[in-house]
Amino acid sequence: MRRKPSARRASEGVTHTQLAIQDELGWLFREQPTEDYGIDAHAEVVDGEDVRGRLLALQIKAGMSWFRETAPRGWWFQPDAEHVTYWLNHSLPVAVVLYHPETKRCHWQLVNRQTLQRTSTGGWKLLVPEAQVLDASAADRLREAAEGDPYVLRIRQLQLAKPWMELLASGKRLVVDIEEWINKSSGRGAISLGVDNEDGEKPEELASWGVFLGLASYAEVVLRLFAWADVQVHEETYEDAEYDQYEAECVIYDNEGDRFVTEDFDEWRSGRLAQGLRPFANGAGEVDFWRLELTLNELGKAFLVVDRFGMEGGRLLT
């Protein structure tokens, strides 16, 4: 089956937007692989090692067709009424990003009541300025758009994580896979969240992030990133990996093939368990691999109750 040109262009748009967010701005980029009407990704503002839940939602469009309707200083983007309503009521500030395949540049505009204009036919249009390139020059305005009261930012993080909380509440197993480049002073790595279907296959990915954490601890960052969940090692993964290590360290075979152990496995492993969150393997001395499991904590359970009350009303929180 041949890949449609439109699908290839869409993928290019997401890729170049991700590069601009991560390389030019130094922020976090989170593609939304699950269906989210009118939103393709989230960008999270990072100042040094400071990550405080300041997020932007991105609608990404790629291809020359989006640059046909020129304006004096840019291009007109015409969304439909349903998207406009959705964006204006979204829990995050929204920006439209247009990727130009010839110049390889991403141009952006915030979506709000000041930037939206009515067309002569009663629709909507949005001026995307040519000068607004998604690079370091955009940092101040996009950071300002993402700012908010700390209380609002924390509630916003919970709202965005609600689908994942609901999966846990329904009995799904959610795992966090981490690749940590241990020899990089930038703290470079990748974090992904997925569903462990317990079928021996790779987790079904829900979201992923490229990160640059500097000297910050991955174990501490995960606790902040998933504040609505308790985090522990994925038992099956760690027991298998650590048993192989135990065999190498504590098991001896004589010339006749008889097996001798220098320490009981449970006693040996108790020292590992005391270390808490930790990698289970290393690749070529360069990358540490982690697999952690999430369980809904009291904060997550309480948020789902409050959210249900807010959605359905009623007098009792039951």
Side-chain angles (χ1 to χ4, degrees):
M1 181 180 293
R2 295 184 63 185
R3 189 183 188 195
K4 294 181 179 180
S6 59
R8 179 177 57 80
R9 286 193 298 270
S11 179
E12 287 178 357
V14 171
T15 298
H16 281 267
T17 301
Q18 179 176 0
L19 289 172
I21 293 293
Q22 293 182 170
D23 295 348
E24 296 288 336
L25 296 171
W27 297 354
L28 303 182
F29 180 90
R30 307 176 184 175
E31 187 176 354
Q32 299 297 105
T34 52
E35 187 75 15
D36 190 351
Y37 177 80
I39 300 299
D40 297 304
H42 295 149
E44 181 164 7
V45 179
V46 178
D47 294 318
E49 296 177 7
D50 182 21
V51 180
R52 297 191 287 113
R54 295 166 293 172
L55 294 153
L56 294 165
L58 306 178
Q59 167 77 98
I60 303 168
K61 298 293 185 182
M64 293 306 299
S65 62
W66 300 103
F67 296 89
R68 288 175 184 163
E69 192 172 349
T70 59
R73 295 179 300 278
W75 305 272
W76 290 114
F77 174 74
Q78 295 200 35
D80 59 48
E82 289 183 333
H83 277 91
V84 169
T85 300
Y86 179 75
W87 292 335
L88 292 178
N89 289 288
H90 202 279
S91 58
L92 296 178
V94 177
V96 166
V97 178
L98 303 184
Y99 170 66
H100 197 299
E102 294 182 357
T103 65
K104 308 297 185 185
R105 287 182 171 181
C106 298
H107 304 268
W108 62 274
Q109 179 61 285
L110 295 169
V111 180
N112 53 49
R113 299 189 185 279
Q114 288 70 49
T115 57
L116 285 164
Q117 300 181 37
R118 282 288 188 181
T119 66
S120 59
T121 58
W124 295 99
K125 63 181 181 179
L126 184 76
L127 176 63
V128 181
E130 184 176 7
Q132 288 189 184
V133 178
L134 194 58
D135 58 19
S137 67
D140 289 342
R141 282 196 59 195
L142 293 180
R143 183 184 290 108
E144 182 181 359
E147 284 288 357
D149 180 89
Y151 173 88
V152 174
L153 294 176
R154 286 191 287 268
I155 296 301
R156 183 184 292 169
Q157 285 184 299
L158 294 176
Q159 290 173 324
L160 291 171
K162 175 185 168 184
W164 305 334
M165 296 185 212
E166 291 176 328
L167 286 173
L168 284 178
S170 71
K172 296 288 187 181
R173 292 185 74 182
L174 297 192
V175 295
V176 179
D177 282 310
I178 299 174
E179 295 182 8
E180 178 188 2
W181 291 76
I182 58 176
N183 296 324
K184 302 291 184 181
S185 60
S186 63
R188 173 189 170 192
I191 299 175
S192 67
L193 175 67
V195 178
D196 178 6
N197 291 311
E198 301 180 74
D199 54 4
E201 301 295 327
K202 291 179 60 177
E204 177 187 343
E205 186 176 295
L206 298 172
S208 61
W209 305 269
V211 294
F212 296 88
L213 301 181
L215 299 178
S217 161
Y218 271 70
E220 294 177 0
V221 167
V222 166
L223 295 177
R224 296 200 301 267
L225 189 59
F226 304 103
W228 40 271
D230 290 328
V231 185
Q232 54 274 326
V233 299
H234 186 261
E235 184 60 27
E236 295 90 334
T237 298
Y238 281 71
E239 184 169 7
D240 289 346
E242 291 172 348
Y243 189 82
D244 290 341
Q245 185 179 354
Y246 164 77
E247 285 273 327
E249 291 183 10
C250 301
V251 178
I252 302 170
Y253 292 88
D254 64 16
N255 293 333
E256 281 72 41
D258 292 324
R259 183 175 184 271
F260 300 90
V261 298
T262 59
E263 187 177 4
D264 178 75
F265 175 63
D266 290 336
E267 293 179 359
W268 177 89
R269 194 168 185 239
S270 65
R272 302 297 189 277
L273 295 175
Q275 296 173 16
L277 303 183
R278 61 199 184 276
F280 68 87
N282 176 272
E286 294 289 336
V287 183
D288 275 347
F289 297 95
W290 309 52
R291 174 164 290 176
L292 309 176
E293 182 170 355
L294 305 181
T295 54
L296 205 59
N297 62 18
E298 293 305 312
L299 172 61
K301 294 174 184 176
F303 175 77
L304 290 179
V305 172
V306 173
D307 181 75
R308 186 168 66 248
F309 175 75
M311 295 289 290
E312 300 174 0
R315 296 181 61 187
L316 298 176
L317 299 182
T318 59

